[in-house]
């Protein structure tokens, strides 16, 4: 298994796992609508988290197996993980999630708009996930933090977006609904 094979990659939290499942539609029909059942399973002597379901779009059986974290990060939604970088989503995918969330909030969203605040919290948390890939003395997200085609394409198109200084500015701007 490669370092970034999601078969046994660590699922740090339920929020991260559900986001991963949403970002990985059915390979047969492209639907993200799958009623997932999840629980612990034994795979060749290894305890894993199993998410299994039948695609609502085409009826294909789907299953993902994830490694267990040593301790699950707890906290309010959105809670994507602890201090370590994700093994499920690469840095570019996290940036794409942040972009998508932030761009869905209307520019004229009022302060106190709870829905806008929740979406901006998702955008901010996603940028924080990108930052976790930066080494302690680094000034940018390293190349090996991009292992999907989507992630590598986003980095190739705008490599400056993955510099720490810029990530911190974007993260901080996402704390206020109406700032996109």
């Amino acid at each position: 298994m490669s370092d970034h094979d999601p078969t046994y990659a660590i699922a740090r939290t339920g929020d991260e796992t559900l986001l991963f499942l949403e970002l990985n539609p059915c390979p047969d029909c492209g639907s993200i609508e799958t009623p997932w059942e999840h629980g612990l399973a034994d795979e060749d002597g290894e305890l894993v988290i199993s998410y299994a379901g039948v695609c609502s779009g085409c009826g294909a059986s789907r299953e993902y197996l994830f490694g267990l974290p040593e301790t699950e990060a707890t906290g309010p939604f959105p809670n994507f993980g602890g201090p370590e970088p994700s093994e499920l989503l690469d840095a570019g995918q996290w940036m794409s999630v942040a972009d998508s969330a932030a761009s869905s909030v209307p520019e004229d969203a009022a302060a106190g708009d709870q829905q806008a605040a929740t979406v901006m919290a998702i955008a901010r948390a996603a940028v924080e996930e990108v930052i976790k890939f930066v080494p302690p003395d680094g000034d940018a997200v390293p190349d090996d933090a991009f292992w999907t085609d989507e992630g590598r394409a986003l980095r190739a198109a705008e490599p400056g977006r993955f510099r720490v200084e810029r990530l911190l500015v974007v993260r901080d701007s996402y704390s206020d609904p109406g700032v996109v």
Side-chain angles (χ1 to χ4, degrees), residues 57-74:
C58 68
S61 292
R62 301 183 64 203
E63 182 177 33
Y64 288 97
L65 301 175
F66 303 102
L68 294 169
E70 287 186 28
T71 59
E72 185 170 349
T74 58

Side-chain angles (χ1 to χ4, degrees), residues 10 12-13 16 69 71 73 80-87 129 132-133:
I10 302 297
R12 300 173 300 162
T13 67
E16 180 186 41
T71 59
F80 295 123
E84 69 285 336
S86 177
E87 293 182 19
E129 290 300 321
K132 291 176 186 179
F133 286 99

